């Protein structure tokens, strides 16, 4: 089977869009980009590829300041707490981010190198724009500081991107703007001179880029890009005349800050670099892995609502570096995930923290359900009752029955002969899993469904084998143990603790490849059991920080 790089062994750079450090991650956050990026990264490693999965904290977003004001804390304290919470939540969920980088001096110099290079290449323009303004507070209102109605879809929105329709909202585009930090404030408009990145100059190249990808990328992304690219693109703000953010280094815009979204690409480069350092590499520069000469496979996992930035602005910025950097091979997008058929809402308290979910439910079972219900093409729903029913009936019960039945068939220490026909079944099973994990046909929901299908099939075969004639039993057992071993290998990107437990026992083949199972004999092993609830785990009263359980 062809792998996503055509077998060329290109290094793999996986980016999960950096979460804003204005709180911990709830289940809706992790069910979209991060579980998917983790499963795909684990799959790539199981093919033997060189992978760095990176993400980081997006500290410069104005949402940090509005959340801090709502909570009565300082932005700096909120960032420090949120960064640690997000990092430990990733660990608790088994989302194995290699490069969750701190926002340190090397981070900042990577951002400045990136924007200064674009500035030196003459890619920015000085423009006078009209922005919402608070006369009472003497502040411009942009991004998360200003609310109003989206001029495209009329949904309640903030400045910048509309999360309902995914369109960009131009500087003074919000209808009936209001001040998030002071809702009674009267909002007016003032002009400001800022630096912008003229996206329109890249439209033809962006159209060519996206049309080349259109047959394999998810349809919602393709239709949004065609809609956005069918008319002139806006000037995207590189600087804002607001206080929160990294100070802009450009002589034309004294006192301004860099638009937080602009940090996205250099932040991703730095997080990737940090991940490579953790893996023992010593890259010469923080952007080394992204240099075009390395021809890396660059994959973004981001929510639909951020595609304007990730699929247009960031791609155009990389193009504007005039051949220095690789462009993304794939942008894998997700839709919204709801809780009990309502939007997740931190401010309304309608949420389940991801760390609380995996305190109650073993994370393999939680990951199985999040995969099965993944919001791949439309919004989907988390429900604790459905998790209990579906994961209980389709995974936990049949899985444990398979394990207990195989235990009755086990013949300790004796090599078990593998009959003709087993290899073909294993090859078929692996082929279907790989189809679900390859990016052109990526579907975690179908992958989780395959787990259900093969667990039920092997359980039924194992129960039949109990009635086999004694002299036929070793071969039946050899067939079943090897197929079960192959199944566990196929599900290892999802059921990470089952795989880790067998790896610890030396019972696990880490390569998702039919050749790895081309053997004449195998041995019995104990299938690790699953459970719907963590043993003795009442939900911890303190929502903070479990120690790492990776
Ligand atoms: Zn909208």
């Amino acid at each position: 089977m062809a792998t996503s790089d055509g077998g060329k062994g290109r290094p793999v750079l996986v980016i999960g869009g950096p979460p804003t450090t204005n709180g911990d991650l709830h289940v809706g956050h992790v069910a979209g980009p991060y579980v998917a990026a983790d499963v795909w990264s684990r799959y790539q490693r199981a093919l033997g590829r060189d992978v760095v999965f990176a993400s980081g904290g997006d500290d410069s977003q104005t949402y940090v300041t509005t959340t801090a004001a709502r909570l009565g804390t300082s932005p700096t304290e909120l960032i420090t707490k949120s960064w640690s919470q997000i990092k430990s939540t990733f660990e608790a969920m088994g989302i194995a981010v290699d490069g969750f980088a701190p926002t340190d001096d090397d981070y900042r110099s990577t951002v400045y190198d990136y924007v200064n290079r674009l500035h030196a290449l003459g890619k920015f323009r000085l423009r006078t724009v009209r922005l919402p303004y608070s006369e009472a507070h003497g502040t411009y209102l942009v991004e998360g500081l200003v609310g109003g109605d989206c001029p495209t879809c009329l949904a309640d929105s903030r400045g910048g991107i509309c999360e309902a329709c995914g369109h960009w909202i131009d500087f003074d585009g919000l209808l009936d703007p209001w001040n998030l930090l002071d809702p009674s404030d009267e909002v007016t408009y003032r002009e400001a001179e800022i630096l912008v990145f003229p996206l329109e100059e890249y439209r033809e190249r962006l159209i060519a880029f996206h049309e080349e990808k259109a047959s394999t990328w998810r349809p919602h992304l393709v239709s949004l890009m065609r809609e956005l690219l069918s008319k002139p693109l806006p000037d995207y703000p590189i600087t804002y005349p607001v206080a929160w953010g990294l100070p802009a280094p450009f002589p034309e815009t004294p006192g301004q800050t860099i638009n937080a979204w602009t940090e996205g690409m250099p932040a991703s480069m730095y997080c990737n670099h940090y991940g490579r350092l953790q893996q023992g590499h010593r890259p010469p520069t923080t952007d080394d892995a992204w240099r075009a000469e390395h021809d890396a496979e660059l994959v973004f996992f981001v929510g639909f609502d951020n595609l304007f930035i990730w699929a247009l602005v960031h791609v155009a910025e990389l193009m504007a570096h005039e051949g220095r950097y690789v462009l993304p091979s794939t942008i894998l997008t997700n839709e919204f995930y709801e809780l009990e058929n309502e939007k997740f809402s931190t401010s309304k308290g309608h949420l389940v923290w991801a760390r609380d979910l995996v305190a109650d439910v073993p994370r393999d079972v939680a990951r199985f359900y999040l995969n099965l219900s993944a919001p791949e093409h439309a919004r989907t729903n988390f429900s604790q009752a459905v998790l209990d029913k579906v994961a209980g009936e389709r995974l936990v019960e049949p899985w444990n029955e398979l394990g207990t039945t195989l235990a009755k068939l086990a013949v300790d220490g004796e090599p078990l002969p593998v009959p003709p026909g087993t290899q073909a079944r294993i090859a078929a099973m692996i082929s279907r899993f790989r189809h679900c994990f390859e990016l052109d046909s990526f579907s975690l929901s179908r992958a989780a469904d395959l787990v259900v299908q093969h667990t039920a099939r092997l359980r039924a075969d194992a129960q039949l084998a109990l009635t086999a004639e004694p002299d036929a039993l070793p071969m039946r057992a050899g067939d079943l143990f090897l197929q079960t071993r192959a199944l566990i290998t196929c599900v290892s990107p999802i059921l990470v603790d089952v795989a880790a437990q067998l790896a610890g026992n030396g019972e696990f083949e880490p390569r998702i490849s039919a050749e790895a199972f081309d053997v004449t004999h195998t041995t019995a092993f104990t299938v690790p059991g699953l459970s719907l609830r963590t043993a003795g785990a009442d939900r911890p009263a303190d929502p903070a920080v479990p120690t790492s359980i990776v």
Side-chain angles (χ1 to χ4, degrees):
M1 169 181 286
T3 57
S4 34
D5 76 333
K8 286 181 293 205
R10 302 161 69 195
V12 184
L13 316 182
V14 184
I15 301 298
T20 302
T21 39
N22 65 339
D24 199 357
L25 300 177
H26 59 59
V27 169
H29 292 129
V30 298
Y34 305 113
V35 167
D38 178 67
V39 169
W40 191 71
S41 299
R42 289 173 184 271
Y43 168 66
Q44 292 299 311
R45 289 206 177 90
L47 298 178
R49 297 187 67 192
D50 171 19
V51 181
V52 179
F53 170 21
S55 190
D58 194 356
D59 299 348
S60 294
Q61 292 286 351
T62 47
Y63 295 91
V64 170
T65 63
T66 52
T67 303
R70 179 165 54 81
L71 298 177
T73 185
S74 74
T76 308
E77 283 175 20
L78 179 64
I79 287 169
T80 302
K81 182 178 175 191
S82 303
W83 190 87
S84 299
Q85 287 178 326
I86 291 168
K87 185 169 187 289
S88 68
T89 290
F90 280 148
E91 291 167 358
M93 289 291 306
I95 295 170
V97 181
D98 302 296
F100 192 75
T103 310
D104 56 13
D105 287 346
D106 286 343
Y107 171 96
R108 285 181 279 274
S109 65
T110 303
V111 172
Y112 284 131
D113 285 351
Y114 184 89
V115 296
N116 282 332
R117 193 174 300 110
L118 288 172
H119 185 264
L121 287 168
K123 303 300 182 182
F124 299 152
R125 306 279 181 272
L126 198 59
R127 293 266 200 270
T128 299
V129 300
R130 188 169 167 262
L131 293 171
Y133 189 80
S134 163
E135 300 289 346
H137 300 276
T139 51
Y140 286 97
L141 303 174
V142 302
E143 299 281 333
L145 303 173
V146 61
D149 293 341
C150 167
T152 301
C153 74
L154 306 182
D156 176 35
S157 183
R158 303 290 175 265
I161 313 174
C162 172
E163 73 168 32
C165 68
H167 283 243
W168 181 253
I169 299 170
D170 232 349
F171 308 101
D172 57 357
L174 267 181
L175 309 176
D176 299 330
W178 57 281
N179 183 346
L180 259 287
L181 290 170
D182 183 1
S184 65
D185 189 17
E186 187 188 346
V187 173
T188 60
Y189 294 94
R190 276 201 186 189
E191 288 190 339
E193 202 169 45
I194 65 169
L195 278 175
V196 302
F197 181 53
L199 284 175
E200 176 62 11
E201 294 179 14
Y202 302 85
R203 184 150 64 105
E204 291 307 316
R205 290 173 69 187
L206 288 167
I207 289 171
F209 173 82
H210 279 285
E211 285 305 316
E212 191 192 327
K213 307 289 189 181
S215 67
T216 53
W217 286 10
R218 285 186 168 168
H220 195 179
L221 186 163
V222 173
S223 73
L224 178 66
M225 290 303 116
R226 284 181 175 158
E227 185 188 9
L228 293 170
L229 290 165
S230 69
K231 51 195 179 210
L233 292 172
D235 285 335
Y236 162 81
I238 295 296
T239 65
Y240 278 134
V242 299
W244 185 253
L246 289 182
F250 315 114
E252 302 93 328
T253 56
Q256 297 190 10
T257 51
I258 297 175
N259 177 3
W261 291 109
T262 302
E263 293 178 36
M265 263 315 85
S268 297
M269 291 175 184
Y270 182 63
C271 291
N272 169 271
H273 171 78
Y274 186 82
R276 289 174 67 78
L277 291 177
Q278 308 308 305
Q279 292 177 348
H281 299 284
R282 288 291 173 269
T285 58
T286 54
D287 68 351
D288 178 64
W290 297 55
R291 299 292 292 269
E293 60 265 30
H294 299 311
D295 190 31
E297 181 176 2
L298 175 60
V299 182
F300 300 155
F301 287 80
V302 291
F304 159 77
D305 51 320
N306 289 337
L307 285 179
F308 182 90
I309 298 294
W310 287 82
L312 290 183
V313 175
H314 289 340
V315 174
E317 287 170 0
L318 292 170
M319 289 171 171
H321 276 86
E322 299 186 345
R324 181 180 176 92
Y325 294 128
V326 71
L327 300 181
S329 300
T330 301
I331 301 174
L332 207 296
T333 182
N334 62 273
E335 305 294 319
F336 287 123
Y337 197 54
E338 294 192 333
L339 171 61
E340 309 291 359
N341 297 305
E342 280 182 45
K343 280 179 73 170
F344 277 86
S345 170
T346 306
S347 58
K348 294 176 187 163
H350 182 68
L351 54 82
V352 175
W353 297 114
R355 69 174 65 248
D356 288 345
L357 174 65
V358 292
D360 283 357
V361 176
R363 64 182 178 178
D364 276 4
V365 175
R367 289 167 64 101
F368 164 80
Y369 179 72
L370 294 183
N371 281 288
L372 191 69
S373 59
E376 298 178 340
H377 295 288
R379 67 181 59 203
T380 54
N381 187 51
F382 177 89
S383 157
Q384 184 70 51
V386 176
L387 183 158
D388 287 348
K389 178 177 169 56
V390 170
E393 292 177 2
R394 298 188 199 171
L395 178 69
V396 174
E397 288 171 28
W399 180 276
N400 290 341
E401 278 184 29
L402 169 63
T404 52
T405 311
L406 285 179
K408 295 174 188 167
L409 297 171
V411 185
D412 269 352
E414 294 288 315
L416 300 167
V418 174
T422 301
Q423 310 300 347
R425 284 176 179 271
I426 287 174
M429 180 164 60
I430 287 175
S431 172
R432 293 315 296 165
F433 272 102
R434 286 180 61 165
H435 184 71
C436 295
F437 289 142
E438 287 293 331
L439 287 175
D440 288 358
S441 46
F442 190 73
S443 173
L444 296 180
S445 181
R446 286 202 298 276
D449 207 43
L450 279 179
V451 181
V452 172
Q453 177 198 330
H454 287 291
T455 304
R457 176 179 70 82
L458 291 170
R459 175 185 60 166
D461 285 356
Q463 283 167 343
L464 271 180
L466 285 177
T467 63
E469 297 295 328
D471 56 348
L473 192 58
M475 200 166 266
R476 298 289 292 272
D479 170 57
L480 285 160
F481 275 107
L482 195 63
Q483 286 204 54
T484 303
R485 210 186 284 275
L487 172 62
I488 291 172
T489 299
C490 289
V491 303
S492 62
I494 300 171
L495 304 185
V496 296
D497 287 327
V498 164
Q501 199 171 326
L502 286 181
N505 298 339
E507 295 282 0
F508 175 63
E509 168 53 56
R511 295 291 172 97
I512 303 182
S513 144
E515 291 75 41
F517 297 92
D518 188 9
V519 294
T520 58
H521 288 77
T522 189
T523 52
F525 64 96
T526 301
V527 177
L530 293 172
S531 138
L532 260 186
R533 285 288 180 276
T534 305
D538 285 340
R539 185 168 293 181
D542 176 4
V545 200
T547 52
S548 166
I549 52 173
V550 170

